[in-house]
Amino acid sequence: KQEVTQIPAALSVPEGENLVLNCSFTDSAIYNLQWFRQDPGKGLTSLLLIQSSQREQTSGRLNASLDKSSGRSTLYIAASQPGDSATYLCAVTNQAGTALIFGKGTTLSVSS
Amino acid sequence: GAGVSQSPRYKVAKRGQDVALRCDPISGHVSLFWYQQALGQGPEFLTYFQNEAQLDKSGLPSDRFFAERPEGSVSTLKIQRTQQEDSAVYLCASSLAGTGLSYGYTFGSGTRLTVV
């Protein structure tokens, strides 16, 4: 059974720091991996989608990498801002390709 | 519409009451998914539709949970005889493709259900 783990569970940093969020999954037979952002009381906003054949994706200050063989992904946030404060969720597709399996998330707080 | 719309945003139900949660996916999106998110947890898969066909309902926690998408667009998640452990945020997502493999998923803002 696929399990997704995110470390750390919570992270507090001062504005301007570069930071890395980690995601690991137990079954490397995934179709893709997606990083989401969730603000309190809100739904999920897709940040980056990495297909299984890709190794990384970039969008602005965000860079996500995927190492399928080791079952790991990282989300790198450059020059963090208070507006980046949110919960970041990592998810992989199930083997049927019909559903996402989520980690519990990393709650990020960026102070000004 | 521009995004996935869910209603109501908040629902308080007395234990034993039936509830119905609505999801309007993005127009033209083939796939529709329901997830349940308990406080402090990641979302957990409930069920998946491709057009009007419910192809996977393996995540529904009990036979009190029922979902439908009769015309392949709007979907309703119904919970019968609600119990306190049903309290959670129910998220709906849609995807352009037959699965979310190539295009990813767009989530709605969710319905927060509180059973008292």
Side-chain angles (χ1 to χ4, degrees), chain B residues 37-111:
Chain B
Q37 186 175 23
L39 189 64
Q41 304 294 315
E44 293 199 1
F45 170 76
L46 294 177
T47 187
Y48 158 61
F49 289 87
Q50 189 174 120
N51 296 308
E52 69 279 2
Q54 188 175 21
L55 299 186
D56 188 344
K57 54 182 180 179
S58 61
L60 295 176
S62 76
D63 59 7
R64 297 185 296 104
F65 286 72
F66 172 76
E68 60 183 7
R69 194 187 185 197
E71 298 179 357
S73 55
V74 172
S75 177
T76 303
L77 176 66
K78 297 179 179 179
I79 308 173
Q80 297 177 325
R81 304 180 304 281
T82 52
Q83 300 177 5
Q84 285 190 320
E85 60 262 32
D86 300 334
S87 296
V89 175
Y90 290 85
L91 295 166
C92 175
S94 69
S95 178
L96 179 62
T99 67
L101 296 182
S102 299
Y103 299 97
Y105 306 77
T106 302
F107 278 80
S109 296
T111 293

Side-chain angles (χ1 to χ4, degrees), chain A residues 7-23:
Chain A
I7 295 173
L11 181 63
S12 293
V13 299
E15 182 177 7
E17 272 204 10
N18 303 323
L19 56 100
V20 174
L21 307 182
N22 297 291
C23 172

Side-chain angles (χ1 to χ4, degrees), chain A residues 4-109:
Chain A
V4 179
T5 302
Q6 292 187 245
I7 295 173
L11 181 63
S12 293
V13 299
E15 182 177 7
E17 272 204 10
N18 303 323
L19 56 100
V20 174
L21 307 182
N22 297 291
C23 172
S24 62
F25 45 95
T26 55
D27 186 347
S28 61
I30 65 169
Y31 291 103
N32 59 33
L33 182 145
Q34 199 162 358
W35 282 93
F36 293 89
R37 168 185 173 140
Q38 187 171 34
D39 293 281
K42 301 288 180 64
L44 281 66
T45 300
S46 178
L47 297 174
L48 291 164
L49 169 67
I50 311 176
Q51 301 294 349
S52 61
S53 59
Q54 298 174 321
R55 296 197 60 94
E56 68 176 338
Q57 282 286 335
T58 297
S59 176
R61 294 182 293 107
L62 305 180
N63 175 276
S65 67
L66 173 64
D67 184 342
K68 227 178 65 162
S69 60
S70 67
R72 295 181 182 180
S73 175
T74 61
L75 178 66
Y76 175 82
I77 303 177
S80 57
Q81 303 172 357
D84 295 332
S85 298
T87 296
Y88 291 81
L89 292 158
C90 166
V92 299
T93 51
N94 65 355
Q95 289 193 351
T98 57
L100 291 167
I101 301 168
F102 285 85
K104 293 184 178 181
T106 294
T107 299
L108 172 65
S109 176

